[in-house]
């Protein structure tokens, strides 16, 4: 939505596109070419993922880490597509365990985990007491893209 585009630009986003805009695919393709994009992270996981994969060049990879739009691709497997493209499911805890087993956990925390606190932040839109948990869940279902809903003990 346009209001989110403006918010993200204010937050410092270099490239912010509205996936509901008529020219979204054209603008995304221009950015993919300009920035030589070969990797994509997707939390939607559904028909939208297929649309994105059509835009990406050959030998690109899409990492699925959510299922906001469905469960077309499993987060426990890699799916090979045409032209060397692939969709890879990410399971964070399994990945951390693999890093630990390979003696790479310190490197993981230094390169990936530690900067997350400065790169990403969670927008909390509402806080509900535990005895109103169902109201909180309903509110979240109706307003997912606006941020998280916290449930607090009474």
């Amino acid at each position: 939505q346009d209001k989110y585009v403006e918010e993200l630009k204010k937050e410092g986003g270099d490239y912010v596109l509205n996936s509901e805009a008529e020219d979204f695919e054209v603008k995304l393709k221009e950015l993919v070419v300009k920035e030589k994009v070969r990797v994509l992270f997707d939390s939607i996981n559904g028909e939208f993922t297929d649309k994105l994969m059509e835009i990406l060049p050959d030998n690109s990879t899409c990492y699925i880490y959510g299922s906001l739009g469905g469960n077309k691709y499993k987060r426990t497997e890699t799916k090979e597509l045409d032209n060397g493209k692939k969709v890879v499911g990410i399971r964070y805890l399994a990945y951390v365990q693999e890093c630990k087993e390979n003696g790479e956990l310190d490197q993981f925390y230094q390169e990936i985990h530690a900067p997350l606190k400065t790169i990403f932040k969670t927008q909390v839109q509402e806080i509900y007491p535990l005895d109103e948990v169902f109201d909180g869940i309903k509110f979240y279902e109706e307003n997912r893209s606006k941020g998280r809903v916290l449930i607090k003990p009474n």
Side-chain angles (χ1 to χ4, degrees), residues 26-129:
V26 171
K27 285 186 172 183
L28 181 61
K29 182 141 184 114
E30 289 171 359
L31 281 174
V32 165
V33 170
K34 178 182 176 186
E35 296 295 332
K36 299 179 180 143
V37 174
R38 297 283 184 273
V39 175
L40 168 74
F41 291 89
D42 177 32
S43 66
I44 308 290
N45 188 4
E47 291 178 20
F48 188 72
T49 305
D50 291 335
K51 204 184 284 190
L52 296 173
M53 292 306 290
E54 287 177 20
I55 292 171
L56 287 176
D58 294 352
N59 302 309
S60 294
T61 303
C62 174
Y63 293 95
I64 299 288
Y65 66 93
S67 56
L68 294 173
N71 285 308
K72 180 169 185 171
Y73 299 101
K74 295 180 181 174
R75 286 185 283 153
T76 57
E77 65 185 24
T78 296
K79 173 107 174 161
E80 300 285 336
L81 305 176
D82 295 334
N83 302 320
K85 296 179 184 182
K86 61 184 174 180
V87 177
V88 179
I90 295 178
R91 295 182 333 168
Y92 179 76
L93 294 176
Y95 180 74
V96 171
Q97 182 62 33
E98 184 180 317
C99 287
K100 184 177 179 181
E101 290 169 2
N102 294 334
E104 300 168 345
L105 195 57
D106 287 339
Q107 180 182 349
F108 167 76
Y109 280 115
Q110 289 173 2
E111 293 178 2
I112 298 172
H113 197 268
L116 290 179
K117 292 177 184 173
T118 59
I119 297 171
F120 299 105
K121 65 180 181 179
T122 300
Q123 181 71 31
V124 176
Q125 59 176 324
E126 290 290 332
I127 299 173
Y128 284 83

